[in-house]
Amino acid sequence: MKEMIVKVKNVVKRYSEKLALDHFNMEVKEGEILGLLGPNGCGKTTAINCILSLLNFDKGEIQLFGQKMTPNSYDIKRQIGLVPQEVSVFENLTVRENIDYFCGLYVDDKNTRRRYVDEAIEFVGLKDYVKYYPKKLSGGLKRRLNIACGIVHKPKLIFLDEPTVAVDAQSRNFILEGIRKLNQEGSTIIYTTHYLEEAEMLCSRIIIMDNGKDLVSGTTEELKAMITTSEKIVVSFLSLEDEMIDSMHKIPHVVDIEKKGEDLIIKFENGNNNLSNLISFITEHKLTYRKLYSQLPTLNDVFLELTGRELRD
Amino acid sequence: MSHFIRNCIYQGKNLFREGSYTFWVILYPIILATFFYAAFGGMMDPSFEDLKVGVEENSGITHVLEEIDFINIYEVSKDELVQKFENDEIDAFVDDNLNLTVNKSGINQTIIKEVVEQIKQTIKLNRPIDGSEFSVSYVLGRDQESNSLTVIFYSLIAMVSTYGVFAGVETASLIQANLSNIAIRINSTPLKKQNFLIAGVMVSLLLNLFANAALLLFINYILKIHLFNNIKYSTIIILLGNLFGVILGIFIGVSNKKSSTKTLMAIAITLLLSFFSGMMGPWIKVMIDKHVPFLSRVNPISIMSNNLYRINFLGSTKSLGEGVIILIGYCIMLLFASYLFLRRKSYDSI
Ligand SMILES: Nc1ncnc2c1ncn2[C@@H]1O[C@H](COP(=O)(O)OP(=O)(O)OP(=O)(O)O)[C@@H](O)[C@H]1O
Ligand SMILES: [Mg+2]
């Protein structure tokens, strides 16, 4: 059985008036890539800072590697890597010096350190920039440096706080690929994001967060199975009267029909033959459509059903 | 140990490469020194150190005057007197009864007159005569104008010895998670906060001492102003000034949240203290000494500049002990106050 590396139980964190974490729970098993998914301001960064004992919290319990985490838990810290949300590097040290400095806080042996630093530079693709100062790097390259400084010592547990914000699509894929590789090499990953696809693509398990609470947790499939909508069919008719929409509600398993511009999004709950039932209806009423396709629900649908709001990129 | 050295090297590089740091700590003092030299240079009295006093052969007064640093003694017989005066070989003549003869009036004559007056008084009071005492009380008592430049330079040196304040501010913000992003990262590593701080303090001290040395060499060899006679005590004062500066910086750093105001605050504090110690012109110092003497006894920069002045210019160590104790007291107080902020390891808000 895989070991439980992170245990967060009923943590409450209040910033003077604002309740940032509201009985927040989270458990992470060794080897997972856990996605912490939620909109801006839902408390992702606060959760990480509490877990790392950088922030005090009002209530609850946090354990890392089976031990209570405190600001003085240096043995625990030794096994952790943090990629903070804000770029956090020395402004007047070069790319290589920055990576080497942080590596040196964990790795004593000179040769090992040199190898690790080289690998981290390779990993984030900053080979051509080793002598650059951070202020000369573009925003995306700075983020890559920020990542390198957090993972260079090959930690067992890595926190990545929205590492791909403001990074172009190509760099983003590069980074995601790298994170998968870190995971394959044995690191457990905690990854916060508000990008749905990213979480879906990368994470082996996802916790959806809102207003400081953990709403649900599970694999993408499990999350999608939790909601009533199991299939969405998008149709675009040439013309359609409103009464016709009403009669569509009588098609078996239809739970909701939403009009979005030209498109009609018909949501079905669990059930078979939804598409053929719809097509029968269309033929029966002699309707003309321009396009018609079936969609599986996305995490956005999950979030929508849980909170009544959309979580869009 | 190697961890410590690595921290020193990297923190040192990070500080030293900071443009504003190099400017304030290295270039700015040299620019100020040059500026003061150009602006106030005329006030320096070059003949001050060699007043030429004629005395009678085998005069009883010789041994007293000999001890006064800035007086050179010439044995002159009364017959030669007129000629010596005319050739400017002596500024004044003192006979065995302490009667003073001069042939013109000037600053040199005034100084000699005052010294002689004091010798007379001491004799009247039946106190043992010690030449160095006269020079001390004389120079302290007289209008300071003729050695303005010296006062200004001692103030300048006192001020820049506290310029570790900038490095202190920077070091503090690098390690306090509520002050900077990088501190969040550093505090998530196994590096102990105190180790980072100690390395930061060491580096700040070293860099600032290096900057001080650059300034002193500049003053000594380029401006050719010789300020130091007593290297040992001067070094103690400058070292204490450095320690005070760095600790003040740490205190300013940890006790304030916003970073842009902190450097300004450091500049303002050091500049104000230096101003009161007479760096912008000695009149302010004279005024403070007269009306609020307490202020110059507790102003750390005054303590340093006054003591540098007394030690090197007057050869007096009278107020050194008190000064050292007050400075150390400040360091301990600021250190303790900083500790109250620093010992917090996790925050309510970052
Ligand atoms: N230092 C602070 N003082 C007061 N309120 C804060 C502080 N930091 C965060 N908050 C508030 O707490 C809530 C949670 O913030 P947090 O930064 O954890 O969100 P997040 O999920 O990381 O958001 P984002 O996706 O934008 O990074 C927000 O409403 C935020 O405004
Ligand atoms: Mg955040």
Side-chain angles (χ1 to χ4, degrees), chain A residues 13 49 53-56 72 74 77 82 84 86 88-90 92 97 100-102 104 106 108 113 133 146 149-150, chain B residues 3 6-7 10 13-14 17-18 174 181-182 184-193 196 345-350:
Chain A
K13 167 68 193 169
N49 287 337
S53 263
L54 298 168
L55 275 174
N56 297 321
N72 293 329
Y74 298 110
K77 288 183 177 181
L82 169 66
E86 307 292 335
S88 312
V89 296
F90 288 98
N92 299 305
E97 286 170 338
D100 184 57
Y101 174 78
F102 287 107
Y106 303 85
D108 287 335
R113 193 163 68 227
Y133 289 104
N146 197 39
C149 291
Chain B
H3 271 258
R6 270 176 56 82
N7 259 299
Y10 276 123
K13 279 186 182 174
N14 190 52
R17 290 175 186 163
E18 175 67 45
L174 285 178
N181 289 330
I182 191 155
I184 292 180
R185 164 164 264 149
I186 294 174
N187 278 296
S188 76
T189 73
L191 177 65
K192 290 191 174 125
K193 200 169 171 174
F196 185 90
K345 291 205 170 172
S346 45
Y347 298 85
D348 293 332
S349 163
I350 55 182

Coordinates of all heavy atoms in Angstrom, one line a residue, chain A residues 13 49 53-56 72 74 77 82 84 86 88-90 92 97 100-102 104 106 108 113 133 146 149-150, chain B residues 3 6-7 10 13-14 17-18 174 181-182 184-193 196 345-350:
Chain A
K13 N -8.3 28.8 8.2 CA -7.3 29.9 8.1 C -8.1 31.2 7.8 O -8.8 31.3 6.9 CB -6.3 29.6 7.0 CG -5.4 30.9 6.7 CD -4.5 31.3 7.9 CE -3.9 32.6 7.7 NZ -3.3 33.1 8.9
N49 N 0.8 27.4 1.7 CA 1.6 28.1 2.8 C 1.3 27.6 4.2 O 2.2 27.6 5.0 CB 1.4 29.6 2.7 CG 2.1 30.2 1.5 OD1 3.0 29.7 1.0 ND2 1.6 31.4 1.0
S53 N 3.9 25.4 6.8 CA 4.1 26.1 8.1 C 4.7 27.5 7.9 O 5.3 28.1 8.8 CB 5.1 25.4 9.0 OG 4.4 24.6 9.9
L54 N 4.4 28.1 6.7 CA 4.8 29.5 6.5 C 3.8 30.4 7.1 O 4.0 31.5 7.5 CB 5.0 29.8 5.1 CG 6.1 29.0 4.4 CD1 6.1 29.1 2.9 CD2 7.5 29.4 4.9
L55 N 2.5 29.9 7.1 CA 1.4 30.7 7.7 C 0.9 29.9 8.9 O 0.9 28.7 9.0 CB 0.3 30.7 6.7 CG 0.3 31.8 5.6 CD1 -0.9 31.6 4.6 CD2 0.2 33.2 6.2
N56 N 0.5 30.7 9.9 CA -0.3 30.2 11.0 C -1.7 29.9 10.6 O -2.2 30.5 9.7 CB -0.4 31.2 12.1 CG 1.0 31.6 12.7 OD1 1.8 30.7 12.8 ND2 1.1 32.8 13.0
N72 N 10.1 24.4 12.3 CA 11.4 23.8 12.6 C 11.6 22.4 12.1 O 12.6 21.7 12.5 CB 11.7 23.9 14.1 CG 11.9 25.3 14.6 OD1 12.3 26.2 13.8 ND2 11.5 25.6 15.8
Y74 N 13.1 20.6 10.0 CA 14.0 20.7 8.9 C 14.2 19.3 8.2 O 14.4 19.3 7.0 CB 15.4 21.1 9.5 CG 15.3 22.5 10.1 CD1 15.4 22.7 11.4 CD2 15.1 23.6 9.2 CE1 15.3 24.0 12.0 CE2 15.0 24.9 9.8 CZ 15.1 25.1 11.1 OH 15.0 26.3 11.7
K77 N 11.4 19.4 5.7 CA 11.7 20.4 4.6 C 12.8 19.9 3.6 O 12.7 20.2 2.5 CB 12.2 21.7 5.3 CG 11.1 22.5 6.0 CD 11.7 23.8 6.5 CE 10.6 24.6 7.1 NZ 11.1 25.9 7.7
L82 N 9.5 23.5 -3.4 CA 8.4 24.5 -3.5 C 8.7 25.3 -4.8 O 9.7 25.9 -4.9 CB 8.3 25.4 -2.3 CG 7.3 26.6 -2.4 CD1 5.9 26.1 -2.6 CD2 7.5 27.5 -1.2
P84 N 7.0 28.5 -5.8 CA 6.0 29.4 -5.4 C 5.3 30.1 -6.6 O 5.8 30.1 -7.7 CB 6.7 30.5 -4.6 CG 8.1 30.0 -4.5 CD 8.3 29.0 -5.5
E86 N 4.6 33.3 -7.1 CA 5.4 34.4 -7.6 C 6.8 34.0 -7.8 O 7.4 33.2 -7.1 CB 5.4 35.5 -6.5 CG 4.1 36.0 -6.0 CD 3.3 36.7 -7.1 OE1 3.9 37.2 -8.0 OE2 2.0 36.6 -6.9
S88 N 10.4 33.7 -7.4 CA 11.2 34.0 -6.1 C 12.6 33.6 -6.3 O 13.0 32.4 -6.0 CB 10.5 33.2 -5.0 OG 9.1 33.4 -5.0
V89 N 13.4 34.5 -6.8 CA 14.8 34.2 -7.0 C 15.6 35.4 -6.6 O 15.1 36.5 -6.5 CB 15.1 33.8 -8.5 CG1 14.4 32.5 -8.9 CG2 14.7 34.9 -9.4
F90 N 16.9 35.2 -6.5 CA 17.8 36.3 -6.2 C 18.0 37.2 -7.5 O 18.4 36.7 -8.5 CB 19.2 35.9 -5.8 CG 19.2 35.3 -4.4 CD1 19.1 33.9 -4.2 CD2 19.2 36.1 -3.3 CE1 19.1 33.4 -2.9 CE2 19.3 35.6 -2.0 CZ 19.2 34.3 -1.8
N92 N 20.1 39.4 -8.3 CA 21.5 39.7 -8.7 C 22.3 38.4 -8.8 O 23.6 38.5 -8.7 CB 22.1 40.7 -7.8 CG 21.4 42.0 -7.8 OD1 21.1 42.6 -8.9 ND2 20.9 42.5 -6.7
E97 N 23.7 30.5 -11.0 CA 24.0 30.7 -9.5 C 22.7 30.5 -8.7 O 22.8 29.9 -7.6 CB 24.5 32.1 -9.4 CG 25.9 32.3 -9.8 CD 26.4 33.8 -9.9 OE1 25.5 34.7 -10.0 OE2 27.6 34.0 -9.9
D100 N 22.1 26.8 -8.4 CA 23.1 26.2 -7.6 C 23.0 26.6 -6.1 O 23.2 25.7 -5.2 CB 24.5 26.7 -8.1 CG 25.6 26.0 -7.3 OD1 25.6 24.7 -7.3 OD2 26.5 26.7 -6.7
Y101 N 22.6 27.8 -5.8 CA 22.4 28.2 -4.4 C 21.3 27.4 -3.8 O 21.6 26.8 -2.7 CB 22.0 29.7 -4.3 CG 21.7 30.1 -2.9 CD1 22.7 30.4 -2.0 CD2 20.4 30.2 -2.5 CE1 22.4 30.7 -0.7 CE2 20.1 30.5 -1.2 CZ 21.1 30.8 -0.3 OH 20.8 31.1 1.0
F102 N 20.2 27.2 -4.4 CA 19.1 26.5 -3.8 C 19.4 25.0 -3.7 O 19.1 24.3 -2.7 CB 17.8 26.8 -4.5 CG 17.3 28.1 -4.2 CD1 17.3 29.2 -5.1 CD2 16.8 28.4 -2.9 CE1 16.9 30.4 -4.8 CE2 16.4 29.7 -2.6 CZ 16.4 30.7 -3.5
G104 N 22.3 23.8 -3.3 CA 23.3 23.7 -2.2 C 22.7 23.7 -0.8 O 23.3 23.2 0.2
Y106 N 20.4 21.8 0.0 CA 20.0 20.4 0.2 C 21.1 19.4 0.0 O 21.2 18.4 0.6 CB 18.8 20.0 -0.7 CG 17.6 20.9 -0.6 CD1 17.5 22.0 -1.3 CD2 16.5 20.5 0.2 CE1 16.4 22.8 -1.3 CE2 15.4 21.3 0.3 CZ 15.3 22.4 -0.5 OH 14.2 23.2 -0.4
D108 N 25.1 18.4 -0.4 CA 26.4 18.9 0.0 C 27.5 18.5 -1.0 O 28.4 19.3 -1.2 CB 26.7 18.3 1.4 CG 26.0 18.9 2.5 OD1 25.6 20.1 2.3 OD2 25.7 18.3 3.5
R113 N 26.0 17.9 -6.9 CA 25.3 19.2 -7.0 C 25.5 19.7 -8.5 O 24.5 20.1 -9.1 CB 25.9 20.2 -6.1 CG 25.0 21.4 -6.0 CD 25.4 22.2 -4.7 NE 26.7 22.8 -4.8 CZ 27.6 22.8 -3.8 NH1 27.3 22.2 -2.7 NH2 28.8 23.4 -4.0
Y133 N 20.9 37.3 -15.9 CA 20.3 37.7 -14.6 C 18.8 37.6 -14.8 O 18.3 37.9 -15.9 CB 20.7 39.1 -14.2 CG 22.2 39.2 -13.8 CD1 23.1 39.7 -14.6 CD2 22.5 38.6 -12.5 CE1 24.5 39.7 -14.2 CE2 23.8 38.6 -12.1 CZ 24.8 39.2 -13.0 OH 26.1 39.2 -12.6
N146 N 12.1 29.8 -12.0 CA 11.4 29.6 -10.7 C 11.2 28.1 -10.5 O 11.3 27.6 -9.3 CB 10.1 30.4 -10.8 CG 9.5 30.6 -9.4 OD1 10.2 30.9 -8.4 ND2 8.2 30.4 -9.3
C149 N 14.6 26.2 -9.6 CA 15.1 26.4 -8.3 C 14.3 25.5 -7.3 O 14.8 25.2 -6.2 CB 14.9 27.9 -7.8 SG 16.0 28.9 -8.7
G150 N 13.1 25.2 -7.6 CA 12.3 24.4 -6.7 C 12.4 22.9 -6.8 O 12.1 22.1 -5.9
Chain B
H3 N 28.5 25.3 4.2 CA 27.2 25.9 4.0 C 27.3 27.4 4.3 O 26.8 28.2 3.5 CB 26.2 25.3 5.0 CG 25.5 24.1 4.4 ND1 24.3 24.1 3.9 CD2 26.0 22.8 4.3 CE1 23.9 22.9 3.5 NE2 25.0 22.1 3.8
R6 N 29.2 29.2 1.6 CA 28.4 29.3 0.4 C 27.4 30.4 0.5 O 27.2 31.2 -0.4 CB 27.7 28.0 0.1 CG 28.4 27.0 -0.7 CD 27.6 25.7 -0.8 NE 26.3 26.0 -1.3 CZ 26.0 26.1 -2.6 NH1 26.9 26.0 -3.5 NH2 24.8 26.3 -3.0
N7 N 26.8 30.5 1.7 CA 25.8 31.5 2.0 C 26.4 32.9 1.9 O 25.8 33.8 1.3 CB 25.1 31.3 3.3 CG 23.8 30.7 3.2 OD1 22.9 31.2 2.6 ND2 23.6 29.5 3.7
Y10 N 27.2 33.7 -1.9 CA 26.1 34.1 -2.7 C 25.4 35.3 -2.2 O 24.9 36.1 -3.0 CB 25.1 32.9 -2.8 CG 25.6 31.9 -3.9 CD1 25.8 30.6 -3.6 CD2 25.7 32.3 -5.2 CE1 26.2 29.7 -4.6 CE2 26.1 31.4 -6.2 CZ 26.4 30.1 -5.9 OH 26.8 29.2 -6.8
K13 N 27.6 38.2 -3.4 CA 27.4 38.5 -4.8 C 26.1 39.3 -5.0 O 26.0 40.2 -5.8 CB 27.4 37.2 -5.6 CG 28.7 36.6 -5.9 CD 28.5 35.4 -6.8 CE 29.9 34.8 -7.1 NZ 29.7 33.5 -7.9
N14 N 25.1 38.8 -4.4 CA 23.7 39.4 -4.6 C 23.7 40.8 -4.1 O 23.1 41.7 -4.8 CB 22.7 38.5 -3.9 CG 21.3 39.0 -4.2 OD1 20.9 39.0 -5.4 ND2 20.5 39.3 -3.2
R17 N 26.3 43.2 -6.4 CA 25.9 43.4 -7.7 C 24.7 44.3 -7.8 O 24.2 44.7 -8.9 CB 25.6 42.1 -8.5 CG 26.8 41.3 -8.7 CD 26.3 40.0 -9.3 NE 27.4 39.0 -9.5 CZ 27.2 37.7 -9.7 NH1 26.0 37.3 -9.7 NH2 28.2 36.9 -9.9
E18 N 24.1 44.7 -6.6 CA 23.0 45.5 -6.6 C 23.4 47.0 -6.9 O 24.2 47.5 -6.1 CB 22.3 45.4 -5.2 CG 21.1 46.4 -5.0 CD 19.9 46.1 -5.9 OE1 19.6 44.9 -6.0 OE2 19.4 47.0 -6.5
L174 N 15.2 39.5 2.9 CA 15.4 38.2 2.2 C 15.0 37.0 3.0 O 14.8 35.9 2.5 CB 16.9 38.0 1.8 CG 17.4 38.9 0.6 CD1 18.9 38.6 0.4 CD2 16.6 38.6 -0.7
N181 N 9.1 37.6 -1.6 CA 8.8 36.3 -2.2 C 9.9 35.3 -2.0 O 9.7 34.2 -1.7 CB 8.6 36.5 -3.7 CG 7.3 37.2 -4.0 OD1 6.4 37.1 -3.3 ND2 7.3 38.0 -5.1
I182 N 11.1 35.8 -2.1 CA 12.3 34.9 -2.0 C 12.3 34.3 -0.6 O 12.7 33.2 -0.4 CB 13.6 35.5 -2.5 CG1 14.6 34.4 -2.6 CG2 14.0 36.6 -1.5 CD1 15.7 34.8 -3.5
I184 N 9.9 33.4 1.1 CA 9.0 32.3 1.2 C 9.7 31.0 0.8 O 9.6 30.0 1.4 CB 7.7 32.5 0.3 CG1 6.9 33.7 0.9 CG2 6.9 31.3 0.1 CD1 5.7 34.0 0.1
R185 N 10.4 31.2 -0.3 CA 11.2 30.0 -0.8 C 12.2 29.6 0.2 O 12.4 28.4 0.5 CB 11.8 30.3 -2.2 CG 12.9 29.4 -2.6 CD 13.2 29.5 -4.1 NE 12.4 28.5 -4.8 CZ 12.0 28.7 -6.0 NH1 12.2 29.8 -6.7 NH2 11.4 27.7 -6.7
I186 N 13.0 30.5 0.7 CA 14.1 30.2 1.6 C 13.6 29.5 2.8 O 14.1 28.6 3.3 CB 15.0 31.4 1.9 CG1 15.7 31.9 0.7 CG2 16.0 31.1 3.0 CD1 16.4 33.2 0.9
N187 N 12.4 30.0 3.3 CA 11.9 29.4 4.5 C 11.3 28.0 4.3 O 10.9 27.4 5.3 CB 10.9 30.4 5.2 CG 11.5 31.4 6.0 OD1 12.1 31.1 7.0 ND2 11.4 32.7 5.6
S188 N 11.1 27.7 3.0 CA 10.6 26.3 2.8 C 11.8 25.3 2.7 O 11.6 24.1 2.6 CB 9.8 26.3 1.5 OG 10.6 26.3 0.4
T189 N 13.0 25.8 2.7 CA 14.2 24.9 2.6 C 14.7 24.6 4.0 O 14.3 25.3 5.0 CB 15.3 25.6 1.8 OG1 15.9 26.6 2.7 CG2 14.9 26.3 0.6
P190 N 15.5 23.6 4.1 CA 16.1 23.3 5.5 C 17.1 24.3 6.0 O 17.6 24.1 7.1 CB 16.7 21.9 5.3 CG 16.9 21.8 3.8 CD 16.0 22.7 3.1
L191 N 17.3 25.4 5.3 CA 18.3 26.4 5.8 C 17.7 27.1 7.0 O 16.5 27.6 7.0 CB 18.6 27.4 4.7 CG 19.5 28.6 5.1 CD1 20.9 28.1 5.5 CD2 19.5 29.7 4.1
K192 N 18.5 27.1 8.1 CA 18.0 27.8 9.3 C 18.1 29.3 9.1 O 19.0 29.8 8.7 CB 18.8 27.3 10.5 CG 18.5 25.9 10.9 CD 19.1 25.5 12.3 CE 18.7 24.2 12.7 NZ 19.8 23.3 13.0
K193 N 17.0 29.9 9.6 CA 16.9 31.3 9.4 C 18.1 32.1 10.0 O 18.7 33.0 9.4 CB 15.6 31.8 10.2 CG 15.1 33.1 9.8 CD 13.7 33.1 10.4 CE 13.1 34.5 10.3 NZ 11.7 34.5 10.7
F196 N 21.2 32.0 7.9 CA 21.1 32.9 6.8 C 21.4 34.3 7.2 O 22.2 35.1 6.6 CB 19.7 32.9 6.1 CG 19.6 33.7 4.9 CD1 19.9 33.2 3.6 CD2 19.2 35.1 5.0 CE1 19.8 34.0 2.5 CE2 19.1 35.8 3.8 CZ 19.4 35.3 2.6
K345 N 8.3 32.6 13.2 CA 8.7 31.8 12.0 C 7.5 31.5 11.1 O 7.7 31.2 9.9 CB 9.3 30.5 12.5 CG 10.6 30.7 13.2 CD 11.5 29.5 13.2 CE 12.9 29.9 13.6 NZ 13.7 28.7 13.7
S346 N 6.3 31.6 11.6 CA 5.2 31.5 10.6 C 4.3 32.7 10.9 O 4.3 33.2 12.0 CB 4.5 30.2 10.6 OG 4.2 29.8 11.9
Y347 N 3.6 33.1 9.9 CA 3.0 34.4 10.0 C 1.5 34.3 9.9 O 1.0 33.3 9.3 CB 3.5 35.3 8.8 CG 5.0 35.6 8.9 CD1 5.9 34.6 8.4 CD2 5.4 36.7 9.6 CE1 7.2 34.8 8.6 CE2 6.8 36.9 9.8 CZ 7.7 36.0 9.3 OH 9.0 36.2 9.4
D348 N 0.8 35.4 10.3 CA -0.6 35.4 10.2 C -1.0 35.7 8.7 O -2.0 35.4 8.2 CB -1.2 36.5 11.1 CG -1.1 36.1 12.5 OD1 -1.0 34.8 12.8 OD2 -1.0 37.0 13.4
S349 N -0.1 36.5 8.1 CA -0.4 36.9 6.7 C 0.9 37.1 6.0 O 1.8 37.7 6.5 CB -1.2 38.2 6.8 OG -1.1 38.9 5.6
I350 N 1.0 36.6 4.8 CA 2.2 36.9 4.0 C 1.9 37.3 2.6 O 0.7 37.2 2.2 CB 3.2 35.6 3.9 CG1 2.5 34.4 3.4 CG2 3.8 35.4 5.2 CD1 3.4 33.2 3.3

